[in-house]
């Protein structure tokens, strides 16, 4: 039995949805611990497509309990649409639970997110516009509305009147937007409260009880390490903590409850939104990766920026997450390339830099130092074992494992569940092994 955290080791969109879906097979409980409807993943099962933002993909397993924990932010409107969508496809949502301590995204959060991005002009973050930052800002300011407040209908009316009075000053005076009517917002959210009420629980207690019955718990991170509020490429980050440490805070469990941490990284790198990206390719190869990898956001449809694998970032993700192993996704996207580059360090004003700089000005100056490896120019999407892979593809994986000093446990070669090589079953397997550096 093991409790496992799955995190994104790059800037998000690493294919965590597929990996958590795979691992959910062995999980009794899946916990989403941070973020909100800024995240998005598509899961394809038996030809049916599920587009999920908040509901963990574990929902597709009928006996798996799915908990959206206290560190998340809930947009009830979007969540209800998601629940309706999965129910319409015949999936039960009875085992879906929401923490009463999770904060609620309100209409003014979305409006302020979008208006503030516009106001920032060239300093914009490139947010998803889903109100994530303003919801977390209210949480830190201690003026937020939590699920437990949403359930208290009389208290909610008074809280909304007080809050919206203040938010209207911001909307009208700062952003030149029309004010919101507290009663209309109340009436809208009243309906959401009733729909979500059966799902609201004390999540930390429920997760603790699961640990006591020795259930397998999978903690699912959203976004990625480089988007972490404290340890990402600030200010071009999200407003929560996707790194492994965020799982304990967001779920309300102690670190001693966690057995393993699995990082998910693409065989190359992508990024959505603004901010420096040292290995970005603005040439035909970048276009090729974007086309073959279908690199468009699930939530916003935005085109993702594409580049070579960045080993500096990889090593950083190993460090700040304490990764036990890696899942490398989308290896097949590199199939047609004659040669493949990997960034092993940065050049900053003539100095070699092995570590990610904390200063964004310095990060903006980083030039990648590449090693070039031969491509394999052979299709790999039908490979089901390491022995099936062309030698150059295997060498590439070994090179990545060595560069980051971490074993690779899973290789993904396409969107469907079977397009996967599980080198070691990370939930039940030994702590270290398999595709190590030697
Ligand atoms: P926010 O989370 O909407 O505030 O956006 C902040 C930054 O995080 C922007 O650069 C977004 O593009 C990025 N971001 C947020 N969610 C995701 C995600 O699920 N995948 C990739 N990038 C994301």
């Amino acid at each position: 039995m093991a409790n496992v955290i799955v995190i994104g080791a790059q800037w998000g969109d690493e294919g965590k949805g597929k990996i958590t879906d795979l691992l959910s097979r062995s999980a009794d409980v899946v916990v989403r611990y941070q973020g909100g409807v800024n995240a998005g993943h598509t899961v394809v099962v038996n030809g049916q497509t599920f587009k999920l933002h908040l509901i963990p993909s574990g929902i597709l397993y009928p006996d798996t309990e799915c908990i959206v924990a206290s560190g998340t932010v809930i947009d009830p409107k979007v969540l209800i649409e998601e629940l309706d969508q999965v129910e319409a496809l015949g999936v039960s949502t009875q085992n879906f639970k929401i923490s009463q301590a999770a904060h609620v995204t309100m209409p003014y959060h979305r409006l302020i997110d979008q208006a503030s991005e516009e106001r920032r002009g060239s300093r914009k973050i490139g947010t998803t516009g889903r109100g994530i930052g303003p919801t977390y800002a209210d949480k830190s300011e201690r003026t937020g509305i939590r699920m437990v407040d949403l359930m208290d209908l009389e208290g909610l009316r008074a809280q909304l009147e007080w809050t919206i009075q203040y938010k209207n000053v911001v909307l009208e005076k700062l952003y030149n937007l029309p004010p919101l009517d507290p009663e209309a917002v109340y009436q809208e959210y009243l309906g959401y409260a009733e729909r979500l009420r059966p799902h609201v629980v004390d999540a930390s207690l429920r997760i603790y009880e699961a640990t006591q019955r020795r259930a397998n718990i999978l903690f699912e991170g959203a976004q990625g390490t480089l988007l972490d509020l404290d340890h990402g490429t600030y200010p071009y980050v999200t407003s929560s903590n996707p790194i492994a440490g965020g799982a304990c805070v967001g779920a309300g469990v102690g670190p001693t409850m966690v057995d393993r941490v699995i990082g998910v990284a693409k065989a190359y790198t992508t990024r959505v939104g603004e901010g420096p990206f040292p290995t970005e390719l603005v040439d035909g190869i970048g276009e090729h990766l974007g086309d073959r990898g279908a690199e468009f956001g699930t939530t916003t449809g935005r085109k993702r920026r594409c580049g070579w694998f960045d080993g500096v970032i990889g090593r950083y993700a190993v460090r700040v997450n304490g990764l036990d192993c890696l899942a490398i996704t989308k290896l097949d996207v590199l199939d047609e390339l004659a040669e493949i580059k990997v960034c092993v360090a940065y050049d900053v004003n003539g100095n070699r830099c092995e570590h990610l700089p904390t200063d964004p000005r310095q990060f903006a100056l980083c030039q990648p130092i590449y090693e070039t490896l031969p491509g394999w120019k052979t299709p790999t999407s039908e490979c089901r074992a390491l022995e099936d892979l062309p030698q150059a593809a295997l060498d590439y994986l070994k090179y990545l494992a060595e560069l980051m000093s971490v074993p690779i446990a899973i290789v993904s070669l396409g969107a469907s569940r079977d397009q996967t090589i599980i080198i070691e079953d990370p939930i039940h397997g030994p702590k270290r092994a398999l595709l190590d550096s030697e």
Side-chain angles (χ1 to χ4, degrees), residues 141-193:
E141 216 189 0
R142 290 148 297 172
T143 54
I145 293 174
R146 304 193 295 169
M147 287 305 293
V148 71
D149 304 316
L150 188 67
M151 296 300 119
D152 168 22
L153 300 184
E154 271 321 297
L156 179 67
R157 175 174 259 141
Q159 202 178 356
L160 274 177
E161 253 165 45
W162 182 83
T163 309
I164 291 183
Q165 208 176 32
Y166 166 75
K167 296 293 177 190
N168 276 346
V169 177
V170 177
L171 290 174
E172 289 186 280
K173 300 274 187 277
L174 193 59
Y175 296 121
N176 216 9
L177 290 169
L180 290 168
D181 171 13
E183 186 56 26
V185 176
Y186 176 69
Q187 290 301 331
E188 180 187 347
Y189 276 65
L190 211 61
Y192 301 153

Side-chain angles (χ1 to χ4, degrees), residues 11-13 38-40 125-129 132-133 223 227 237-238 272-273 302:
W11 272 289
D13 307 316
N38 47 350
I125 307 292
T127 74
T128 59
I132 304 299
Q223 290 88 42
L227 290 174
V237 293
T238 190
V272 212
R302 286 182 293 177

Side-chain angles (χ1 to χ4, degrees), residues 312 315 342-355 362 366-371 399 403:
V312 180
R315 284 195 298 263
V342 176
C343 170
V344 294
Y346 299 141
D347 179 300
V348 189
N349 292 329
N351 297 316
R352 188 180 171 100
C353 174
E354 303 277 346
H355 302 287
Q362 213 186 2
C366 286
Q367 294 298 321
I369 299 173
Y370 286 122
E371 290 285 330
Y399 186 83
L403 188 65

